[in-house]
Amino acid sequence: MLCLPYEIERKVFRLAAHVHPASDVRSCLLVAQRVQNWTEGLIYHTIVLTSETRACRFIDSLHSRPALASKNVKSLCLCGTVQLATAAEVMHLCSGVCSLALWILPEGHNHTVPDFLLEELNGLPLSRLSIQLSTVFRRTARPFLPSIPIFNIITHLELLEGWVLWGSSIGIPCLTQLTHISLRVFTKQTAPALLQMILSDCVILEVLVLRVTEEVGTVEKWLLEYEGLDDPRIVVTTKSPHDTWDHVASDGMSLWQYGDYVAKCQSATHICTID
């Protein structure tokens, strides 16, 4: 029987944990205690909770080992039927999260946002946030993003609602630390002036992903009608925010990775054209 040195074993199992789905990697936990120690944390790197039941089970499973969540969970998606109180508890447990998708619809007719939710959200060391604004802005006449501290810290911002580009600004151009933005666009409703403001005021912006349900070519032609919207940083795509959390649908490439790749290609072409 072949016996490998522990360090080589460790590398093999950790590599397997990176490239195989979490459902397959769980079998590694049964091989030996040392293998569990090597791979268990990797399984918790990305957590997607789509229901209140799953979220509660996740919390219960980690109550006796909270450090496993705080240390290892780096990407977290909360959506579906997860309730706000449960979402706040999960965020408290996963205090080291860097990338968060908060896609929870408001509950009932409550017009206020619970303080505990904002407290947990603002306490996370986030760099990437994908959010349904109705989760944190309830029946507000016009939301203003800089009024919530976390929006002034993140570098990657994705907003699910299309109405954020329909009328007056909700403060996106004020978030000058942003390097990546993803917004939903409708050619018949989106205000081009808001896109122009974002490109002008977000001085270190690298990529502006415009998610569309129309033909990509139609939207790209529409952008050319307005000054400054032929910017190579703009990436028009039919990809969904869910692609970031579904490696099968996204071919292993997140929406941000796709945006970086396309923007880089477009910038190179743009430079060649100028020359």
Side-chain angles (χ1 to χ4, degrees):
M1 182 176 178
L2 178 63
C3 293
L4 296 175
Y6 276 13
E7 185 57 29
I8 294 180
E9 274 191 355
R10 177 178 177 274
K11 290 181 179 180
V12 169
F13 279 106
R14 286 180 63 85
L15 179 61
H18 276 298
V19 300
H20 290 285
S23 56
D24 294 339
V25 177
R26 292 191 186 99
S27 60
C28 293
L29 304 181
L30 305 176
V31 174
Q33 182 62 51
R34 66 180 184 279
V35 178
Q36 179 179 345
N37 294 337
W38 295 335
T39 61
E40 187 173 32
L42 299 175
I43 294 175
Y44 287 92
H45 182 276
T46 300
I47 298 295
V48 179
L49 301 174
T50 58
S51 69
E52 176 68 8
T53 300
R54 292 187 65 178
C56 289
R57 287 176 179 171
F58 175 77
I59 293 170
D60 291 341
S61 69
L62 291 171
H63 262 315
S64 60
R65 298 188 297 168
L68 188 62
S70 61
K71 178 182 177 181
N72 295 296
V73 179
K74 300 303 178 183
S75 298
L76 175 65
C77 178
L78 299 170
C79 58
T81 59
V82 179
Q83 297 179 12
L84 296 183
T86 306
E89 192 170 354
V90 172
M91 286 190 284
H92 180 76
L93 195 60
C94 304
S95 57
V97 164
C98 300
S99 176
L100 173 68
L102 190 58
W103 304 336
I104 302 177
L105 292 173
E107 303 164 5
H109 300 287
N110 186 2
H111 296 170
T112 60
V113 180
D115 290 339
F116 60 76
L117 180 70
L118 292 179
E119 181 178 348
E120 295 299 341
L121 179 62
N122 289 321
L124 293 175
L126 294 180
S127 59
R128 302 182 177 192
L129 176 63
S130 175
I131 191 167
Q132 187 132 1
L133 285 184
S134 54
T135 305
V136 293
F137 289 101
R138 299 288 189 83
R139 301 291 178 89
T140 306
R142 195 66 184 176
F144 187 61
L145 300 190
S147 67
I148 296 181
I150 194 64
F151 286 105
N152 298 285
I153 298 172
I154 56 174
T155 59
H156 293 57
L157 173 63
E158 179 172 65
L159 303 179
L160 266 61
E161 295 94 339
W163 55 258
V164 301
L165 291 173
W166 290 1
S168 57
S169 172
I170 62 169
I172 299 176
C174 299
L175 306 177
T176 55
Q177 85 286 351
L178 291 174
T179 60
H180 293 68
I181 302 174
S182 172
L183 303 170
R184 192 173 181 184
V185 164
F186 302 91
T187 56
K188 294 183 179 180
Q189 293 171 295
T190 296
L194 293 180
L195 293 175
Q196 292 167 331
M197 287 175 60
I198 292 171
L199 290 166
S200 173
D201 296 354
C202 295
V203 293
I204 61 172
L205 185 68
E206 298 174 16
V207 179
L208 174 57
V209 175
L210 301 182
R211 309 186 314 274
V212 301
T213 54
E214 305 167 68
E215 291 288 337
V216 170
T218 300
V219 178
E220 290 177 337
K221 183 177 179 181
W222 172 78
L223 290 169
L224 292 176
E225 297 175 6
Y226 301 94
E227 183 179 355
L229 296 189
D230 59 343
D231 197 301
R233 293 173 295 175
I234 294 178
V235 176
V236 182
T237 180
T238 56
K239 283 181 172 288
S240 160
H242 292 84
D243 290 349
T244 297
W245 303 91
D246 186 347
H247 292 296
V248 175
S250 64
D251 296 323
M253 183 179 288
S254 74
L255 190 60
W256 295 128
Q257 291 171 322
Y258 175 79
D260 281 332
Y261 173 76
V262 175
K264 183 178 180 179
C265 293
Q266 290 179 166
S267 294
T269 303
H270 187 72
I271 292 173
C272 290
T273 302
I274 293 175
D275 292 344

